């Protein structure tokens, strides 16, 4: 954990210094309107006038207490304040997507493994190839056009209606659910193919094991063999894969949130990139990586819960 | 039974050949773009804005009256170019790190693998966008940045292969003959790890094309007026209510190309690795 955290800060810190010259020069050379005041702020924020190890140390001290400085936008809010407002949306959408991916992809993969080479399995394979190849932002556009504009079934932007404040609790939940269908649906579709494929292959691996054959030979019902003996072992690689897919989901939120105008971290990131709001970009980069790290940690813990071999120490 | 197997085999190869055909088709389009395009892709015609697909404009025109068909054709060049160069970069880095890490082991191995873990913590798209913010969005920067943020998979793959190959007798024999490490790596281990890398690279091109189009779509990749599939879709998004052709055709081009590389990559994997195709 700790070496990874330090590594994350080191790479993020390197990003600040990626430009030939320092960011202050770039800022002024690209934007003629940028006053010397802006470059002074940058120098002060990142201590660019000091030796590099002190720069890093000062920056590290600040981010250790989650102080990423102040946004360069006119409102001048602190970066953390901005992120705090946005992060619940992103976490909500990603958790919804993860749950749905789990609920849909897992049974799909298991059924595919069980009915290997059947018509159902082959149809799923075609679907998997399509899922892999469709650019999700294009799919989002098409769904927006078809379900939002042509059919008018679903709202295409934001996560709440304008009259959200006046709704009943049930109405509020329904409203958010309705707004979530397109962004979550498209995001789930993007990951579904890969993870159901993994579930299928992982299940096939397990079904070839001797203990599955032994269980069958003892005359245990098929269902018991699949769900009691095989499933737990097949779950292991899938948990890893879901853990690994977290950065993809978080990264994808940039695209979904800007297409569907959802005021989450991804949209904030995109807006900040466009406005070259360096402190916000750096803050989100670090926080996104830390969130990923946390996600992987949760995957590790789940792993330990499912596999006692890991809980009692690898030998 | 025999017949069934035969059919299965044909089936598998058909998909791979379909992938290969798609890949070649788009490479040909990229090479012969000037002959295929019916208009100059950057010619603006404000008298004929957002025209529907017709005989003169197969895919219609965009918000500046430019011919979308010609822009999609020329966009092929950018996409394929970016895909190949980005993957080239990631494969070179991945091969180097993977070989060194797997062959020498020890501290070097630990350091490189830790570096891989750290890089994998960053949502790739965040890292790419952040770097692009500090540099300037351009074709070169997009290629380099995609390459620099996608080498981790190849590294792990090559390391795993190297670990298993370095214990083989022919490597021990080479060591006993006092052949230098560099020579062993290049002459004896590299040829044995290159096959899975080739598969990963084919699939990598698909990923790089997707990333480039997403970046260009957000306005942070290939900059207009240079046509790219992604930045045509940007116009598609802005005019989605009344110009479906701006969204549909470039998206289809991305979809079919990526499908082609994926089919080819998966087919090659089955073909080259009999262990997997048995499943």
């Amino acid at each position: 954990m700790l070496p990874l955290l330090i590594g994350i800060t080191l790479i993020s810190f390197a990003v600040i210094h990626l430009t030939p010259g320092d960011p202050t020069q770039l800022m002024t050379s690209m934007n003629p309107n940028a006053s010397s005041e802006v470059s002074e702020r940058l120098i002060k924020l990142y201590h660019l006038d000091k030796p590099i190890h002190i720069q890093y140390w000062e920056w590290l001290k600040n981010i250790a207490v989650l102080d990423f400085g102040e946004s360069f936008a006119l409102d001048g809010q602190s970066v953390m304040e901005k992120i705090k407002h946005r992060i619940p949306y992103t976490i909500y959408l990603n958790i919804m997507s993860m749950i749905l991916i789990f609920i849909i992809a897992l049974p799909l993969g298991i059924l595919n493994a069980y009915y290997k080479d059947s018509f159902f399995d082959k149809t799923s394979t075609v679907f998997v190839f399509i899922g892999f190849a469709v650019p999700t932002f294009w799919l989002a556009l098409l769904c927006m056009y078809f379900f939002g504009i042509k059919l008018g079934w679903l709202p295409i932007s934001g996560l709440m209606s304008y009259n959200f404040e006046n709704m009943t609790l049930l109405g509020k939940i329904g409203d958010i659910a309705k707004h979530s269908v397109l962004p979550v649906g498209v995001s789930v579709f993007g990951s579904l193919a890969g993870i159901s494929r993994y579930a299928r292959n992982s299940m096939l691996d397990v079904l070839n094991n001797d203990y599955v054959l032994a269980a069958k030979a003892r005359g245990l019902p098929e269902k018991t063999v699949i769900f009691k003996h095989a499933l737990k072992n097949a779950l292991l690689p899938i948990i890893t894969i879901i853990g690994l897919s977290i950065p993809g989901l978080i990264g994808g939120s940039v695209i979904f949130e800007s297409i569907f105008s959802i005021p989450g971290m991804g949209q904030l990131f995109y807006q900040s990139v466009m406005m070259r709001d360096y402190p916000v970009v750096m803050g989100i980069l670090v926080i996104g990586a830390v969130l990923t790290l946390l996600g992987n940690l949760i995957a590790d813990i789940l792993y330990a819960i499912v596999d006692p071999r890991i809980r009692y120490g690898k030998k | 039974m025999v017949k069934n197997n035969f059919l299965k085999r044909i089936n598998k190869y058909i998909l791979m050949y379909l992938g290969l055909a798609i890949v070649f088709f788009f490479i040909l389009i990229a090479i012969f773009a000037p002959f295929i395009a019916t208009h100059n892709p950057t010619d603006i015609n404000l008298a004929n804005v957002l025209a529907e697909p017709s005989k003169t404009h197969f895919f219609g025109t965009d918000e500046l009256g430019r011919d979308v068909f010609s822009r999609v054709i020329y966009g092929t060049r950018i996409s394929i170019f970016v895909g190949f160069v980005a993957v080239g970069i990631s494969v070179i880095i991945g091969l180097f790190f993977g070989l060194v890490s797997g062959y020498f082991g020890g501290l070097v191995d630990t350091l490189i693998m830790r570096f891989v873990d750290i890089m994998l913590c960053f949502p790739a798209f965040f890292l790419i966008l952040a770097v692009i913010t500090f540099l300037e969005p351009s074709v070169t920067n997009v290629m380099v940045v995609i390459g620099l943020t996608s080498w981790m998979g190849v590294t792990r793959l090559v390391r795993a292969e190297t670990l298993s190959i370095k214990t083989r007798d022919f490597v021990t024999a080479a060591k006993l003959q006092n052949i230098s490490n560099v020579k062993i790596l290049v002459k004896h281990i590299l040829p044995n790890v290159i096959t899975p890398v080739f598969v990963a690279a084919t699939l990598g091109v698909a990923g790089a094309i997707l990333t480039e189009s997403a970046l260009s779509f957000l306005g942070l990749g290939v900059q207009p007026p240079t046509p790219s599939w992604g930045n045509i879709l940007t116009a598609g998004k802005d005019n989605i209510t009344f110009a479906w052709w701006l969204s549909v055709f470039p998206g289809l081009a991305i979809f079919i190309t990526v499908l082609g590389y994926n089919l080819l990559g998966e087919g090659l994997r089955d073909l080259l690795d009999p262990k997997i195709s048995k499943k």
Side-chain angles (χ1 to χ4, degrees):
Chain A
M1 268 298 269
L2 199 65
L4 283 183
L5 267 177
I6 294 173
I8 288 171
T9 60
L10 269 175
I11 291 186
S12 307
F13 183 70
V15 169
I16 303 179
H17 291 268
L18 248 180
T19 40
D22 53 315
T24 46
Q25 275 171 8
L26 182 89
M27 186 105 179
T28 36
S29 67
M30 279 213 321
N31 183 356
N33 295 328
S35 56
S36 55
E37 186 214 345
V38 171
S39 55
E40 266 167 33
R41 277 170 75 180
L42 265 178
I43 291 177
K44 210 176 143 211
L45 178 63
Y46 294 131
H47 300 277
L48 294 172
D49 49 349
K50 300 200 176 105
I52 196 145
H53 58 279
I54 294 178
Q55 284 179 29
Y56 176 64
W57 180 241
E58 291 294 326
W59 185 68
L60 201 63
K61 271 201 299 201
N62 283 339
I63 64 166
V65 290
L66 293 177
D67 176 11
F68 295 98
E70 278 165 18
S71 160
F72 281 180
L74 286 174
D75 56 14
Q77 269 181 314
S78 79
V79 172
M80 215 40 220
E81 197 65 30
K82 280 197 153 179
I83 294 177
K84 247 190 240 160
H85 285 301
R86 305 291 197 112
I87 218 168
Y89 295 97
T90 307
I91 291 185
Y92 160 73
L93 285 178
N94 281 323
I95 287 184
M96 286 297 281
S97 309
M98 296 264 278
I99 292 173
L100 277 176
I101 289 169
F102 213 75
I103 293 177
I104 302 173
L106 213 59
L108 194 68
I110 292 168
L111 284 175
N112 279 333
Y114 189 61
Y115 297 108
K116 186 173 166 265
D117 291 332
S118 68
F119 177 72
F120 168 67
D121 184 30
K122 281 184 180 145
T123 324
S124 305
T125 307
V126 173
F127 163 80
V128 163
F129 270 109
I130 292 177
F132 269 137
V134 170
T136 37
F137 63 96
W138 181 56
L139 189 69
L141 271 187
L142 294 186
C143 287
M144 207 164 131
Y145 175 68
F146 195 70
F147 295 110
I149 297 168
K150 201 115 193 254
L151 296 173
W153 287 352
L154 294 165
I156 55 169
S157 77
L159 207 55
M160 298 159 196
S161 305
Y162 291 109
N163 54 351
F164 186 76
E165 290 299 319
N166 306 326
M167 288 180 180
T168 57
L169 182 66
L170 218 63
K172 279 181 180 172
I173 295 174
D175 193 51
I176 291 184
K178 223 167 132 186
H179 280 83
S180 312
V181 173
L182 280 182
V184 172
V186 174
S187 157
V188 167
F189 185 84
S191 315
L192 207 53
I195 289 173
S196 74
R197 203 67 187 162
Y198 254 96
R200 176 184 180 270
N201 289 345
S202 160
M203 196 70 184
L204 280 180
D205 271 349
V206 172
L207 287 180
N208 281 335
N209 275 335
D210 286 343
Y211 67 86
V212 172
L213 189 69
K216 279 185 188 167
R218 275 187 284 146
L220 290 179
E222 200 77 55
K223 263 189 203 149
T224 319
V225 176
I226 296 254
F227 289 104
K228 218 166 162 202
H229 295 84
L231 185 61
K232 265 195 174 180
N233 290 293
L235 271 178
L236 289 175
I238 302 168
I239 290 176
T240 317
I241 281 303
I242 291 188
L244 281 176
S245 71
I246 295 171
L249 278 176
I250 296 183
S253 59
V254 175
I255 294 174
F256 294 119
E257 289 176 6
S258 27
I259 291 182
F260 292 110
S261 319
I262 291 163
M265 206 166 76
Q267 195 196 40
L268 176 67
F269 191 62
Y270 176 59
Q271 289 163 345
S272 309
V273 166
M274 293 309 271
M275 295 189 324
R276 310 208 177 260
D277 194 342
Y278 297 110
V280 181
V281 169
M282 293 310 301
I284 297 181
L285 184 66
V286 175
I287 289 196
V290 172
L291 275 184
T292 307
L293 199 62
L294 279 180
N296 285 336
L297 191 72
I298 293 173
D300 280 349
I301 292 171
L302 282 177
Y303 213 109
I305 292 174
V306 180
D307 190 349
R309 279 173 300 185
I310 290 168
R311 217 180 319 151
Y312 298 118
K314 267 180 261 180
K315 269 166 201 160
Chain B
M1 196 60 201
V2 174
K3 194 185 164 206
N4 203 353
N5 255 338
F6 179 70
L7 276 180
K8 238 194 224 163
R9 197 151 268 195
I10 291 274
N11 210 344
K12 204 173 259 169
Y13 289 133
I14 278 183
L15 283 179
M16 192 183 82
Y17 283 125
L18 180 68
L20 193 66
I22 294 172
V23 167
F24 265 107
F25 177 70
F26 278 97
I27 288 177
L28 286 180
I29 287 186
I31 294 172
F32 296 106
F35 302 100
I36 303 168
T38 49
H39 295 69
N40 184 327
T42 50
D43 267 359
I44 294 172
N45 178 6
L46 291 176
N48 192 20
V49 176
L50 292 177
E52 275 189 44
S54 63
K55 270 180 194 157
T56 43
H57 299 286
F58 300 136
F59 293 174
T61 62
D62 66 4
E63 79 283 4
L64 294 173
R66 294 173 296 199
D67 180 52
V68 176
F69 176 72
S70 309
R71 289 182 73 72
V72 170
I73 294 293
Y74 272 92
T76 314
R77 286 190 162 181
I78 296 284
S79 287
I80 292 179
F81 184 57
V82 170
F84 275 71
V85 175
V87 167
I89 293 172
S90 78
V91 163
I92 290 171
I93 300 175
L95 269 177
F96 177 77
F97 277 163
L99 284 173
V100 169
S101 182
Y103 185 74
F104 293 107
L107 184 65
V108 186
D109 181 35
T110 316
L111 282 178
I112 292 178
M113 290 332 280
R114 264 289 134 83
F115 188 31
V116 167
D117 289 340
I118 293 166
M119 286 298 286
L120 283 174
C121 270
F122 284 99
F125 211 67
F126 274 24
L127 194 56
I128 292 172
L129 283 182
V131 172
I132 297 269
T133 327
F134 283 86
L135 306 170
E136 256 165 281
S138 72
V139 179
T140 324
N141 286 343
V142 167
M143 291 185 307
V144 173
V145 174
I146 294 178
L148 289 181
T149 49
S150 61
W151 48 271
M152 292 82 79
V154 179
T155 305
R156 284 190 164 171
L157 189 74
V158 172
R159 175 179 176 269
E161 292 283 318
T162 310
L163 277 180
S164 84
I165 286 167
K166 78 169 179 186
T167 58
R168 300 261 283 274
D169 289 343
F170 66 87
V171 177
T172 318
K175 275 185 187 161
L176 288 175
Q177 287 174 10
N178 239 347
I179 295 175
S180 73
N181 281 331
V182 178
K183 217 170 177 185
I184 293 180
L185 273 175
V186 175
K187 271 192 111 170
H188 298 286
I189 296 184
L190 184 66
N192 286 297
V193 302
I194 205 78
T195 318
V197 171
F198 195 65
V199 173
T202 313
L203 297 171
V205 172
I209 289 177
L210 277 177
T211 309
E212 180 274 322
S213 63
L215 280 175
S216 302
F217 173 71
L218 290 175
L220 293 160
V222 179
Q223 296 297 303
T226 310
S228 109
W229 293 337
N231 68 28
I232 306 173
L233 278 169
T234 315
K237 187 202 169 205
D238 295 339
N239 300 295
I240 190 156
T241 32
F242 32 84
W244 56 267
W245 53 92
L246 272 177
S247 301
V248 169
F249 295 116
L252 270 180
I254 301 171
F255 170 59
I256 296 173
T257 311
V258 171
L259 186 67
Y261 282 96
N262 280 343
L263 286 176
L264 181 63
E266 294 286 333
L268 283 176
R269 191 204 301 266
D270 286 349
L271 189 73
L272 299 172
D273 190 350
K275 272 177 292 180
I276 294 175
S277 59
K278 256 187 212 157
K279 267 181 202 167

